[in-house]
Amino acid sequence: MMRILKRPSALILRRGVTTYQSTLGKKDSLFRVHPSVSQALAENKPVVALESTIITHGMPYPLNLRTAKEVEAIVRAEGATPATVAVIDGEVHVGLSSEELDHLAQCKSSLKVSRRDLPYVISKSLSGGTTVSATMIAAHRAGIPVFVTGGIGGVHRDGENSLDISADLTELGRTPIAVVSAGVKSILDIGRTLEFLETQGVCVATYGASNNFPAFFSPESGFTSAYHVCNPEEAAKLIASTLSLGLQSGVLLAVPIPEEHAAAGQQIEEAIQAALTEASDTGVTGRDVTPFILQNVNELTRGKSLQANIALIHNNAKVGSQIACALSKQMNEKTLKSKTHLPGKLSRDSESDIVVIGGINVDFIAKGKTKRLRFGQTNTGSVCQSFGGVGRNIADSLSRLGHRPLLISATGADSNSDAVFNYCKHMNTSGVARIEEQSTATYCAVITESGELSIGLGDMDVHQQITEQYVSQFEKSLSSATLVCLDGNIPVSTINYVCSVAKKHNINVWYEPTDIEKACKPFLSDAWKSLSYSSPNLAELCIMNKTLGVETPAELPSTLDEMLCIAVALSRPLLEHLHCLVVTLGANGVLLCGEHDAGTVNLKPKKQKRKGQLCALHYPTLTVTPEETMNVSGAGDSLAGALMAGILQGKDTDSCVRMGLHAARMSLASQHPIAPILTLDSVDPNKVQNQNWSQPVFMWIDSN
């Protein structure tokens, strides 16, 4: 049974802040990026965009659904992540779930959505399949550089008089996306199409050994591309050059029909020419020409045109995915080559009992001098620069408390990183990469006179460069460490890699969630079972459980007793594998949950599977007045760092927690996330004077 004793509440311990992303992407209200796509993009893995008019207007059901799923399967088989684009109920989706694909394939009211149609379809909350132009817009918005389709639109015959020119061509002239297609159909004016693309500044290259520009079903149209690329690597270099130059135009990569389908392609082309002649003879004009020809061609070829169409799309998906993978590899290799390390006394694999992997930020803290901040005008206050980032903060705290942790992180190669390294001279930063063409992470917090956070803004993109590939260079240090600390800013794949190393070498891992959006990362797989410690707040603890499918409360409790009940109940499932949970409760203190040992929670690094009964200890915080509060961004990190220091120094649980609470109090009263005056003596419970400690509240946790 679980027993909770009542005790008076106490004052301040804040940890973590909510930030607003500096970029759009998945947080944009009109654009929704599927989690698999956003994760792949964040981890610099290859993604291939796919259009959806082939689903809504290109084929009948269920052939359209089967083809769409086959194409996505081909992309995955080549090592990339598919991102089918469509508009569903007024929102542009980049990447569709299986259920959304099913819905789109059967939806009879779907519209054909080009650039011009996007505003209307969104304003009316309608659904539709995206054409080449609309798909390019969505892919570029999400940060996907490679897009695969069957064929693009072009200049229609007699287009010099009718001005019937596809929006695909102008989109290629203003959106930096690589479009992989089988060229354009011979029902169009291919010569004028290529001339128009040249005018738009679009680089056109044939994929293969020659410059012959394909005509969809035929490997040769009678026209040539300006250039050709022989393989995925050459194509990737062409795309990378376009992106590096900052050109606002795209690249068209024309893939000829495979040889095994060339014979059928020739038959189809002959049928197209016959249909064109019939259309001219019968007076079919304008928008009626294309459907008339396609229907006639399908009849003349007895369905072979549709089969060849599907084969072309399959081939384009394969080639496009190979190009996307080659591009991703080249960009990642370029990033690794551009990384430089500051010269230091310590080598990369210098021995350390602790390894910390996480973010480094330059923080700007603005504190108002009035009780209420007025938005839209200048407020009086003070602004100071400091150096933060969860990983950096914890490593800083440990460094000031008698340890020499190896910090693995990433910054830009800019003036902000110069300032960071100058400030962090007391730390082992030999594992920090400085990356060209990246900005050092920055964070700006505006707090009120009373110390409450008003708003926070963060630019943290560089944290995604702390990749599995980079961290694996330090495996020797990881495998020999007593404790490895991970912060939630690093990519999921990096977390999974470190957890696999920890499992192999029986290493204790501490996971610091950083915020509710990142708390779930280890729990997306079985990686969390390799964690030993974690320090979530109550909201983050809820997310962890929710990710595992455990029922959580709809709203967080407001009273201390309710908080303790919920925290204990939600800690129980995680303690099946974790050794200890440190649940921070803001102004209500800290709750330790773990194995019972002589009337307290056992914090010692685990060496074997837990045997004892579970219990919890609730500690109140140390009082900090609003006037004393200078910085709310580092208290939780100071607590975690000091707890780790005490654990590694073999101190008893009570001393470890009191060290952490003292460090947190010092952080709140400092302009810096980690107080520069932090030392072992300054947090030693036996040496700190004038502190009226409240006794912790002990609770049993039901093991059944």
Side-chain angles (χ1 to χ4, degrees):
M1 295 294 293
M2 180 179 71
R3 181 170 57 89
I4 297 180
L5 303 180
K6 294 184 179 181
R7 50 156 303 282
S9 62
L11 290 177
I12 298 173
L13 176 62
R14 297 182 181 89
R15 64 168 303 283
V17 290
T18 301
T19 63
Y20 293 90
Q21 299 290 332
S22 62
T23 56
L24 290 173
K26 62 186 177 184
K27 285 188 174 293
D28 195 321
S29 61
L30 300 180
F31 285 76
R32 295 195 174 273
V33 182
H34 192 273
S36 65
V37 176
S38 60
Q39 180 177 330
L41 292 171
E43 296 174 6
N44 298 318
K45 292 182 177 179
V47 178
V48 173
L50 303 166
E51 50 117 325
S52 53
T53 52
I54 191 173
I55 303 172
T56 57
H57 293 78
M59 299 177 187
Y61 180 83
L63 181 60
N64 57 350
L65 177 61
R66 188 179 73 193
T67 302
K69 291 188 174 182
E70 286 172 351
V71 170
E72 288 200 345
I74 290 170
V75 174
R76 292 189 183 95
E78 293 296 331
T81 297
T84 301
V85 177
V87 182
I88 299 178
D89 297 332
E91 293 179 335
V92 181
H93 286 243
V94 182
L96 301 179
S97 67
S98 180
E99 292 75 18
E100 287 166 340
L101 273 175
D102 290 346
H103 167 73
L104 197 66
Q106 299 183 66
C107 182
K108 296 181 180 179
S109 59
S110 291
L111 301 177
K112 192 173 184 179
V113 184
S114 184
R115 169 184 272 267
R116 69 160 190 186
D117 310 301
L118 277 171
Y120 179 80
V121 173
I122 289 172
S123 70
K124 294 292 186 179
S125 297
L126 301 175
S127 299
T130 52
T131 64
V132 169
S133 63
T135 306
M136 288 178 68
I137 292 169
H140 179 55
R141 189 72 165 256
I144 304 170
V146 178
F147 161 42
V148 168
T149 184
I152 65 167
V155 178
H156 283 252
R157 298 192 179 205
D158 195 36
E160 67 274 21
N161 297 315
S162 67
L163 297 182
D164 190 352
I165 302 172
S166 171
D168 298 351
L169 304 187
T170 50
E171 201 63 50
L172 272 161
R174 59 184 165 189
T175 303
I177 291 286
V179 178
V180 179
S181 82
V184 297
K185 292 180 180 178
S186 58
I187 61 174
L188 302 171
D189 190 326
I190 296 177
R192 283 191 169 87
T193 296
L194 291 172
E195 287 290 345
F196 193 92
L197 287 170
E198 181 182 353
T199 302
Q200 293 290 313
V202 179
C203 181
V204 178
T206 298
Y207 184 86
S210 76
N211 285 37
N212 291 328
F213 186 80
F216 203 73
F217 292 120
S218 175
E220 298 182 15
S221 64
F223 297 91
T224 58
S225 300
Y227 310 102
H228 73 99
V229 289
C230 294
N231 51 51
E233 289 69 32
E234 286 188 10
K237 287 180 181 179
L238 176 62
I239 298 167
S241 297
T242 304
L243 298 176
S244 297
L245 286 169
L247 302 178
Q248 295 307 303
S249 53
V251 176
L252 177 62
L253 293 168
V255 183
I257 186 172
E259 290 184 7
E260 59 268 29
H261 300 293
Q266 184 59 40
Q267 180 184 352
I268 295 166
E269 285 298 332
E270 292 171 359
I272 290 174
Q273 296 305 320
L276 281 168
T277 301
E278 185 176 348
S280 176
D281 292 344
T282 55
V284 179
T285 59
R287 66 172 62 186
D288 298 326
V289 172
T290 299
F292 175 85
I293 291 173
L294 293 179
Q295 181 179 348
N296 278 24
V297 168
N298 192 46
E299 292 173 356
L300 289 170
T301 62
R302 297 180 181 179
K304 286 185 179 180
S305 62
L306 183 57
Q307 296 172 16
N309 199 349
I310 294 172
L312 278 172
I313 295 166
H314 285 179
N315 184 61
N316 290 351
K318 181 177 181 179
V319 171
S321 300
Q322 291 171 350
I323 293 171
C325 290
L327 177 63
S328 175
K329 181 180 179 181
Q330 289 177 17
M331 298 300 282
N332 286 332
E333 287 175 349
K334 180 180 178 182
T335 298
L336 281 174
K337 288 179 181 178
S338 68
K339 295 180 180 183
T340 59
H341 297 269
L342 289 182
K345 297 179 181 179
L346 292 160
S347 66
R348 173 171 293 177
D349 286 317
S350 55
E351 290 188 7
S352 176
D353 57 344
I354 313 175
V355 177
V356 180
I357 308 173
I360 293 175
N361 302 340
V362 176
D363 292 342
F364 298 91
I365 309 298
K367 184 177 182 181
K369 290 186 177 180
T370 56
K371 290 184 178 180
R372 301 182 68 179
L373 296 175
R374 299 181 182 274
F375 289 92
Q377 67 183 60
T378 301
N379 294 266
T380 58
S382 60
V383 180
C384 69
Q385 180 187 34
S386 60
F387 302 97
V390 174
R392 194 220 68 86
N393 289 346
I394 292 174
D396 189 351
S397 177
L398 287 162
S399 297
R400 297 180 188 277
L401 295 175
H403 294 271
R404 188 68 170 168
L406 171 64
L407 174 61
I408 301 175
S409 188
T411 70
D414 51 20
S415 58
N416 279 333
S417 69
D418 293 337
V420 167
F421 283 107
N422 184 59
Y423 181 80
C424 297
K425 288 179 179 178
H426 62 293
M427 298 165 55
N428 177 3
T429 57
S430 63
V432 180
R434 301 183 72 178
I435 306 173
E436 299 291 344
E437 301 177 1
Q438 287 278 343
S439 298
T440 299
T442 52
Y443 173 73
C444 179
V446 179
I447 61 176
T448 63
E449 183 186 35
S450 61
E452 296 294 331
L453 178 72
S454 177
I455 190 171
L457 292 170
D459 178 0
M460 312 291 186
D461 291 348
V462 73
H463 293 158
Q464 300 308 315
Q465 301 300 324
I466 312 172
T467 62
E468 172 187 353
Q469 185 179 10
Y470 178 65
V471 173
S472 65
Q473 299 175 71
F474 302 89
E475 185 163 339
K476 181 179 177 183
S477 294
L478 293 171
S479 59
S480 62
T482 304
L483 179 67
V484 175
C485 176
L486 306 175
D487 90 29
N489 289 303
I490 65 178
V492 173
S493 59
T494 306
I495 293 172
N496 292 344
Y497 163 72
V498 174
C499 286
S500 68
V501 174
K503 182 179 180 180
K504 179 179 178 181
H505 297 280
N506 195 28
I507 302 162
N508 286 267
V509 179
W510 184 301
Y511 181 62
E512 171 54 49
T514 72
D515 64 42
I516 57 174
E517 289 188 354
K518 299 162 186 171
C520 67
K521 286 185 175 181
F523 299 87
L524 296 171
S525 66
D526 283 343
W528 74 277
K529 296 179 180 179
S530 298
L531 302 178
S532 300
Y533 304 90
S534 187
S535 44
N537 60 26
L538 196 53
E540 292 161 353
L541 183 61
C542 284
I543 292 296
M544 292 173 172
N545 277 269
K546 191 173 183 179
T547 305
L548 294 177
V550 177
E551 186 176 352
T552 59
E555 296 182 2
L556 294 179
S558 55
T559 67
L560 176 59
D561 285 353
E562 290 174 333
M563 286 183 184
L564 294 177
C565 281
I566 293 297
V568 167
L570 293 180
S571 294
R572 181 66 187 87
L574 304 189
L575 291 173
E576 287 294 328
H577 295 280
L578 270 72
H579 178 55
C580 181
L581 279 168
V582 181
V583 185
T584 56
L585 301 172
N588 290 298
V590 179
L591 181 71
L592 265 65
C593 300
E595 182 183 16
H596 176 255
D597 181 25
T600 188
V601 175
N602 180 10
L603 284 181
K604 297 176 183 177
K606 65 176 182 178
K607 295 182 179 179
Q608 57 187 8
K609 189 174 178 63
R610 187 185 68 244
K611 295 181 179 179
Q613 192 172 353
L614 297 176
C615 67
L617 281 176
H618 175 229
Y619 283 82
T621 57
L622 300 178
T623 302
V624 182
T625 65
E627 293 74 21
E628 291 178 301
T629 303
M630 296 294 296
N631 188 337
V632 297
S633 67
D637 303 335
S638 295
L639 170 76
L643 270 170
M644 292 179 209
I647 291 169
L648 293 169
Q649 290 161 15
K651 297 184 181 296
D652 61 84
T653 298
D654 193 66
S655 296
C656 289
V657 178
R658 297 196 189 284
M659 284 174 61
L661 293 173
H662 271 302
R665 186 184 188 283
M666 293 175 68
S667 171
L668 289 168
S670 171
Q671 288 186 338
H672 300 275
I674 305 300
I677 60 173
L678 178 67
T679 63
L680 276 173
D681 285 345
S682 69
V683 296
D684 188 335
N686 298 318
K687 297 180 180 180
V688 178
Q689 301 298 318
N690 301 321
Q691 288 294 336
N692 297 317
W693 288 103
S694 298
Q695 291 299 312
V697 178
F698 179 88
M699 293 162 276
W700 288 110
I701 299 177
D702 184 9
S703 296
N704 297 323

